[in-house]
Amino acid sequence: MGALIGLPGDPGPTGYTLAPDGPAEAGETVNVLVSRHRGLPRDRMGNRLSASGRSLITEALHRTYGRRITAADLARDGLKRWSVPALGLSVSVAHVAAYSAVAFAPAGRVIGVDLQDERDRPHALRWLGDLLGREEPATIRDFAECEALIKASHLTKETFAGIRLPPWRPGWRPVNCETYEVRSVVLRAEGEAPLHLALACDAPAPVRFHHLEEE
């Protein structure tokens, strides 16, 4: 699959495996491709311009399952959740700076993924801490888990009030919203700041990470 960009960095993560090279198999496992994209163009302010969500999904599908599709094969439901009906997969995509994460789950599940760097955002974290019923600001990990939950569920930023995240521990953790659960890890690449990756799903499932570094 390419060069490793860093294993999950939390102490004692459980239920995560690093996938071997070669195509994965569709099934009950959630497969997550984390990629570092070198050579991305930049805007006038020097910020990297990311590829579109559709192109990230189609390329990740090929890298993860060895299957080629076009953007026309992707579908979105009324809650803007991606899927590949012909292959029986639900999909979610996230990107930040030069990194992207694409998560695939069986079609019977819904999946959300989010990827966050550690940029300073005090106002947003105080706002989210209030929304989560806390006396202190939320963390970047909380931010990523909430974004993943919104992508997987019917929730929006406007209807998120009342949701509570359980204390962090490795593995899936149920939230007080139907059957949804969240989990998160810190990814560390040599010479790079940590990235927070979060997943949300309507049922727990084993997770396999695939790592790719593109030139």
Side-chain angles (χ1 to χ4, degrees):
M1 293 300 296
L4 295 182
I5 65 169
L7 295 176
D10 288 307
T14 58
Y16 289 103
T17 59
L18 179 67
D21 288 352
E25 297 292 334
E28 291 303 314
T29 297
V30 171
N31 286 290
V32 183
L33 176 67
V34 181
S35 303
R36 175 162 54 183
H37 308 272
R38 296 183 180 272
L40 289 174
R42 295 178 182 269
D43 62 19
R44 293 180 179 179
M45 301 299 293
N47 299 311
R48 292 185 183 273
L49 298 173
S50 178
S52 70
R54 288 179 184 273
S55 63
L56 289 171
I57 291 171
T58 57
E59 182 62 20
L61 188 72
H62 173 63
R63 297 287 187 174
T64 307
Y65 297 99
R67 302 292 295 272
R68 284 287 189 190
I69 66 167
T70 68
D73 297 309
L74 300 177
R76 296 187 88 175
D77 65 13
L79 298 174
K80 298 183 178 180
R81 297 179 295 200
W82 293 99
S83 64
V84 190
L87 301 181
L89 291 170
S90 298
V91 190
S92 186
V93 59
H95 54 80
V96 61
Y99 290 88
S100 67
V102 182
F104 298 98
R109 304 264 66 89
V110 291
I111 190 71
V113 65
D114 195 60
L115 195 60
Q116 296 289 332
D117 58 19
E118 294 192 341
R119 285 177 289 118
D120 189 32
R121 52 191 106 178
H123 299 297
L125 295 180
R126 281 199 297 270
W127 171 80
L128 182 57
D130 290 341
L131 204 61
L132 293 172
R134 299 181 181 176
E135 295 183 358
E136 69 281 348
T139 65
I140 299 297
R141 183 196 294 276
D142 298 328
F143 194 96
E145 291 185 347
C146 290
E147 289 288 338
L149 183 57
I150 287 172
K151 290 181 180 181
S153 71
H154 60 279
L155 294 168
T156 67
K157 290 180 174 62
E158 290 71 33
T159 62
F160 204 80
I163 297 299
R164 298 292 180 264
L165 296 178
W168 187 85
R169 57 175 172 76
W172 293 103
R173 295 141 41 228
V175 299
N176 62 330
C177 176
E178 300 179 8
T179 63
Y180 290 100
E181 301 199 15
V182 296
R183 67 188 302 167
S184 57
V185 295
V186 178
L187 300 177
R188 303 179 190 276
E190 185 176 354
E192 298 278 349
L195 294 175
H196 297 263
L197 186 148
L199 295 168
C201 192
D202 58 346
V207 178
R208 299 175 78 209
F209 277 104
H210 307 258
H211 297 260
L212 174 71
E213 184 158 343
E214 297 181 347
E215 295 300 329

